[in-house]
Structures are given as C-alpha cells and as structure tokens.
C-alpha cells in the first residue's frame, strides 16, 4: 500500500479513487500470478503426502499443457493491420504510430497476456520526445501489473492504474493513474511520494482493454486458463511423478530373504535399504542359509492410462485437437475438423474483441496526435484485420477462390478477393503498388504511341507547315 504522503498530495476524490484501484490490484494479483505460474510451467507439485517417498517429494516436474492451451488460440490469431472503408493503404497515417511503438510486435504479446489473465490493456499518452519517446506513446500492460474500474453505463473504463515498478521488498515504487481528467504519476521517495499531475486532453480514460471472452457480468473477460484446466494439469503432474516412482521400483525388482535375521535390515535409512540393488548377509557355519526370492514391481502402465485420461479431459476443456490426447493413433478427418471448428470459432470471437481494443487505442492515438476533441466520423470506419483462423490447404483455398472469381465480377482483382486467396496484408499492398506502377507505365506508353501516330499523319504535317512549325 502507499503511504499518507501520496494521499496528501492528491485531492480527496483522487485519493479515494487511487485507494479503490489499489484494492482491486491487490485482490486480483494473487490469482493473476497463479495463472502466470501455470502458463510458465512453474506451478508447484501439489502432493497428497501418500504415495511419494520422502526423498522424492521435492522433485521438480513441469507440464506445458496450459501454455499449449493458450497458444492454441493466440497462434491462430494473426494481426495484419488496420483497414478502412475508404480503401486507403495507410488510413489516417497510422503507420508512423505503429512503427514508433512497435505495435505489430507488441500487440500479439498483449493478446497472449489477455488470454492468460482474461484481459490486458493498451495505454495511450503523450510521450517525452526529449527522452527519445514517440510523440504518442502506446504501451501494452499486463493484468497482473494493472487495475481497472469499469463504468457499465458508459461502457468504458472509469479509472486505470498501472504498476510500473516494485522495490526489492515487493512494495510499489512507481505507478501511474489514468482518469478522464488527468494522468497522475507517483514515484516513491525515501520518506514521501513525488506526484506529477498532467491534464488529460481527451476527456476519457485513454486506456483500451483487450478483453478475452467478454460477458455482461465479466466486462473485463475470462482467462483461457480455466479452473478445470489448472485442476487437470495438477492431476497430470502428480501422475507423472507417481509414474517416476513406479518406474524406479519397476526397474529395481525386490528381493526377499526368508530365514534371515530381521534386525540386520533395521536402520535409519530404510529407503536406501529398499532401493538397494544388491544386499548381502553373513551366515554362520551350521546355520540354514536363507532363501532368496525375487518379486517384480508393478507395471507403470496404469499411470500411462491415467495420464491419457487427464489429457483427454484437458483437451476437451481447451478444445484442442484429438491428437493432443492420443498421438499414437491417427484421428479421422471428421474428428480433426470438429476439434478445429471450435478453435476457429473461439479465435474469431477473440479477434473481434482484441480488434475492437486495438481500434479504440488508435482512436485515442489519432485524437491525441491531431489535437481532436472528439472522434471524427471518418475514423469510426477503421477496423482491425486478422488472418482467417480457418487454416485450409492451399489447393482447397485456390479452388474456392477461382470459383468465386469466375462467378462474382471484380472479386479476383479486389482486396477482399486477394484476402480470401490467402495473401497477407503486406503482399496485397505490394501487389497493388506494382499494379499501379504498371498501369502508369502503360498510360505513358499509350500517350507516346498516340503522339507518334499523330505526328506521322500527313494532315498534321501539312497543318504544321502552314503555321511555320516543325513536327518532331
């Protein structure tokens, strides 16, 4: 929490708003960090304390299922750029803003963060050009270092807090609060807080949420890492560790000595005695020699079957392909298509919300750059373009394109047609530029040919002779 120094530097309403934002951040941070741990594969083993021997309870095991479930959607979401109904290649001169803010690189990362935590954010503010920042600064923010308050009537953010940095003790050392009226930067000093307040010229919170799975009761979305996915991952991790223990016993058959003195096997390190590969005993002369019997350990196959069960449950929860749970047997074409169909729908829904957030951020950026009080009508035609997540074979796409191009006039030469054919936005722009250069060259050549034909006409030459001019 912050100290009274920061509260005294703010007015009552701002201090109350900051306190509310900090409460939201602290209440959500724990769950956000847990999901980040699952995504990174750092979730700790949750041992029941029953089947693992003491020396293997600290075993390090990792499972990458959760990350695979997240990337099943985000890898299909390919952002290509912005388009407008006016047909211009660079609508509203956005290329400069996108390039200076590395938007095409950082937006996909923000989409991954949105899928992990349920939402991420794009903050738009005036940059410090003297320090080398762009004039309009667009920064992605993860949910675990942010807090937001949603205004249901305005369908927009009421306030936003970005935790920029924390000290070695885990306390906030710098944060930025965005409100419709101002942008407040707070930096921790040894005995107080330095507060910098700047006017917000837009009149709205210039922060755009990138929401995953929007719902009326959850306007800031749901994480793709569901509670069921985490539970299945925990169970699978325990199964893997138990399989490791079972394999140790299976690879080291047990030997029993019947007729030996039991006291010879009593000691502090009983586990070492159990796992010892060779055991020996001294037998006095005249005594009966003990009988040695070998017992083979249980097969680890039940653990493999149980792991496949958890994989099936996880794949069903995350709408993964059938081969994720059973890669040994080829799946039918219908089963593969059915699994992909759900992923395609999920990705399209995610693209719609992420695209809306990206467009809203560009609205803020253009208004801030051009000093506009409101969003112009022309800017409302802007939309985000993503590659079609329905990945099909090139031959099938080409066949469908040729049929549509032959039945719809102008479809093949239009940008919509080229998008349907599978061309990227960059390829479409280059193709359009090449076609424009070729048409200009043809126009110049045609004009030259018509001039040459005209000068060769005897009537033209006679008229020029009468006027005392020379035809070149």
């Amino acid at each position: 929490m912050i100290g009274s120094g920061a509260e005294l530097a703010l007015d009552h309403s701002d201090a109350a708003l900051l306190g509310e934002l900090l409460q939201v951040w602290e209440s959500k941070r724990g769950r956000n960090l847990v999901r980040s741990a699952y995504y990174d594969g750092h979730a700790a083993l949750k041992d029941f304390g029953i089947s693992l021997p003491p020396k293997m309870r600290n075993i390090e095991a990792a499972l990458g299922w959760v990350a695979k479930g997240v990337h099943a959607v985000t890898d299909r979401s390919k952002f290509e750029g912005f388009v407008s109904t006016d047909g211009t290649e660079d609508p509203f001169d956005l290329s400069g803003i996108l390039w200076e803010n590395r938007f095409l690189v950082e937006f996909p990362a923000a989409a991954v963060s949105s899928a992990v935590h349920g939402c991420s954010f794009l903050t738009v503010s005036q940059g410090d050009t003297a320090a080398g920042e762009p004039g309009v600064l667009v920064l992605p923010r993860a949910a675990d270092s942010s807090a937001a308050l949603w205004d249901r009537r305005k369908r927009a953010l009421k306030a936003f807090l970005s935790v920029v940095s924390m000290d070695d003790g885990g306390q906030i050392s710098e944060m930025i609060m965005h409100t419709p009226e101002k942008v407040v930067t707070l930096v921790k000093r040894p005995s107080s807080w330095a507060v910098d307040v700047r006017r917000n010229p837009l009149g709205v919170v210039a922060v755009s949420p990138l929401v995953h799975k929007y719902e009326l009761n959850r306007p800031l979305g749901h994480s793709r890492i569901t509670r069921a996915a985490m539970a299945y991952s925990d169970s699978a991790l325990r199964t893997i560790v138990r399989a490791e223990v079972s394999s140790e016993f299976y690879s080291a058959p047990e030997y029993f000595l019947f007729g030996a003195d039991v006291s010879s096997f009593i000691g502090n390190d009983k586990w070492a005695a159990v796992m010892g590969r060779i055991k020996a005993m001294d037998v006095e002369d005249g005594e009966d020699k003990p009988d040695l019997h070998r017992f083979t350990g249980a097969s680890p196959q039940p653990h493999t079957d149980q792991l496949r069960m958890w994989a099936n449950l996880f794949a069903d929860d995350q709408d993964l392909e059938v081969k994720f749970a059973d890669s040994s047997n080829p799946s039918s074409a219908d089963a593969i298509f059915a699994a992909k169909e759900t992923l395609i729908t999920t990705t399209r829904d995610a693209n719609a919300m992420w695209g809306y957030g990206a467009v809203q951020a560009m609205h803020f950026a253009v208004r801030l750059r051009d000093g506009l009080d409101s969003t112009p009508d022309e800017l409302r035609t802007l939309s985000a373009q993503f590659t079609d997540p329905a990945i099909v074979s090139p031959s099938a796409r080409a066949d469908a394109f040729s049929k549509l191009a032959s039945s719809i006039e102008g479809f093949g030469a239009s940008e919509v047609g080229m998008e349907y054919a599978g061309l990227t936005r960059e390829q479409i722009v280059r193709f359009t530029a090449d076609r424009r250069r070729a048409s200009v060259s043809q126009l110049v050549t045609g004009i030259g040919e018509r001039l040459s034909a005209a000068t060769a006409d005897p009537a033209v030459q006679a008229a020029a002779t009468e006027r005392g001019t020379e035809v070149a």
Side-chain angles (χ1 to χ4, degrees):
M1 292 294 291
I2 63 173
S4 59
E7 296 173 358
L8 293 175
L10 302 174
D11 59 35
H12 177 72
S13 60
D14 289 340
L17 193 60
L18 178 60
E20 190 175 357
L21 286 168
L22 285 170
Q23 185 177 5
V24 171
W25 176 71
E26 290 180 342
S27 64
K28 302 293 184 180
R29 184 168 181 257
R31 178 57 63 178
N32 285 331
L33 292 178
V34 167
R35 283 189 162 87
S36 295
Y38 274 89
Y39 172 75
D40 294 332
H42 294 161
L45 174 67
K46 297 180 180 179
D47 179 30
F48 292 154
I50 300 174
S51 59
L52 295 185
K55 285 192 174 183
M56 298 189 70
R57 288 177 182 171
N58 295 326
I59 187 173
E60 294 184 2
L63 193 65
W65 287 5
V66 170
K68 187 175 182 64
V70 170
H71 284 280
V73 170
T74 58
D75 287 352
R76 285 180 174 269
S77 175
K78 300 296 183 182
F79 175 77
E80 293 196 354
F82 296 97
V83 294
S84 178
T85 55
D86 61 8
T88 57
E89 295 179 1
D90 184 12
F92 311 102
D93 297 325
L94 295 179
S95 59
I97 297 176
L98 300 180
W99 173 259
E100 291 174 348
N101 289 279
R102 301 178 73 243
F103 192 85
L104 297 180
V105 175
E106 295 190 348
F107 179 79
V112 173
S113 180
S114 172
V116 172
H117 299 123
C119 68
S120 59
F121 304 89
L122 296 175
T123 64
V124 182
S125 60
Q126 293 176 332
D128 187 358
T129 55
E133 295 178 352
V136 178
L137 188 62
V138 182
L139 290 175
R141 300 290 187 183
D144 57 359
S145 60
S146 307
L149 300 177
W150 183 257
D151 190 328
R152 293 184 180 273
R153 290 181 63 87
K154 295 181 179 179
R155 299 181 181 90
L157 295 183
K158 175 183 177 183
F160 178 79
L161 178 68
S162 176
V163 178
V164 179
S165 61
M166 304 180 70
D167 58 24
D168 295 337
Q171 299 298 317
I172 299 175
S173 59
E174 182 179 356
M175 54 186 170
I176 302 175
M177 181 175 66
H178 297 257
T179 70
E181 298 81 18
K182 62 191 73 173
V183 178
V184 183
T185 302
L186 300 99
V187 180
K188 189 176 183 180
R189 300 303 185 199
S191 59
S192 63
W193 286 82
V195 181
D196 176 57
V197 181
R198 298 188 181 185
R199 185 181 70 88
N200 180 5
L202 300 183
V204 294
V205 178
V207 178
S208 178
L210 303 178
V211 181
H212 177 263
K213 289 189 177 181
Y214 173 86
E215 289 184 2
L216 292 179
N217 294 329
R218 296 289 294 271
L220 294 181
H222 289 269
S223 171
R224 181 158 171 80
I225 306 175
T226 62
R227 295 179 183 272
M230 291 187 288
Y232 298 148
S233 179
D234 290 337
S235 298
L237 197 59
R238 284 192 295 269
T239 301
I240 291 174
V241 175
R242 285 196 294 263
E244 288 284 347
V245 177
S246 177
S247 298
E248 292 295 331
F249 283 103
Y250 187 74
S251 61
E254 293 184 348
Y255 294 86
F256 284 83
L257 288 170
F258 293 94
D261 186 2
V262 178
S263 62
S264 301
F265 295 93
I266 297 176
N268 294 328
D269 196 356
K270 300 181 179 63
W271 182 251
V274 172
M275 294 303 296
R277 298 297 191 268
I278 300 176
K279 305 179 180 70
M281 290 184 60
D282 291 332
V283 179
E284 298 293 337
D285 292 338
E287 293 183 359
D288 294 334
K289 294 182 180 180
D291 296 329
L292 180 64
H293 296 267
R294 172 180 175 177
F295 294 86
T296 304
S299 170
Q301 183 62 38
H303 300 292
T304 303
D305 296 337
Q306 188 181 40
L307 184 61
R308 184 175 290 111
M309 178 192 70
W310 295 127
N312 278 309
L313 291 172
F314 182 85
D316 183 66
D317 178 78
Q318 297 289 293
D319 298 321
L320 299 181
E321 298 180 20
V322 180
K323 66 179 183 180
F324 172 82
D326 188 7
S327 58
S328 60
N329 297 321
S331 302
S332 65
D334 291 339
I336 295 175
F337 177 80
K340 287 184 176 181
E341 186 68 17
T342 307
L343 271 180
I344 291 169
T345 304
T346 302
T347 305
R348 284 175 176 162
D349 293 341
N351 287 344
M353 293 305 302
W354 292 337
Y356 180 85
V359 169
Q360 187 181 45
M362 290 302 105
H363 285 188
F364 296 149
V366 171
R367 288 181 55 192
L368 196 60
R369 180 195 63 189
D370 299 341
L372 303 176
D373 295 332
S374 60
T375 303
D377 294 337
E378 296 80 5
L379 193 57
R380 299 180 190 275
T381 64
L382 187 69
S383 61
Q385 183 179 11
F386 293 82
T387 302
D388 186 3
I391 302 174
V392 299
S393 65
S395 59
R397 185 182 293 273
D399 180 63
F401 171 77
S402 62
K403 291 179 180 178
L404 289 175
S406 61
S407 59
I408 302 176
E409 183 179 357
F411 179 82
S414 66
E415 289 193 5
V416 175
M418 288 185 281
E419 291 171 7
Y420 191 86
L423 299 181
T424 63
R425 185 64 188 168
E426 179 185 1
Q427 291 171 334
I428 293 174
V429 171
R430 289 168 54 193
F431 177 78
T432 304
D434 290 341
R435 189 170 58 178
R436 186 181 301 112
R437 284 193 296 267
S439 63
V440 171
S441 177
Q442 292 174 359
L443 178 61
V444 172
T445 302
I447 294 174
E449 291 176 351
R450 286 194 291 270
L451 287 175
S452 298
T455 55
D457 190 347
V460 174
Q461 293 179 355
T465 303
E466 291 178 0
R467 295 177 58 184
T469 58
E470 182 179 356
V471 180

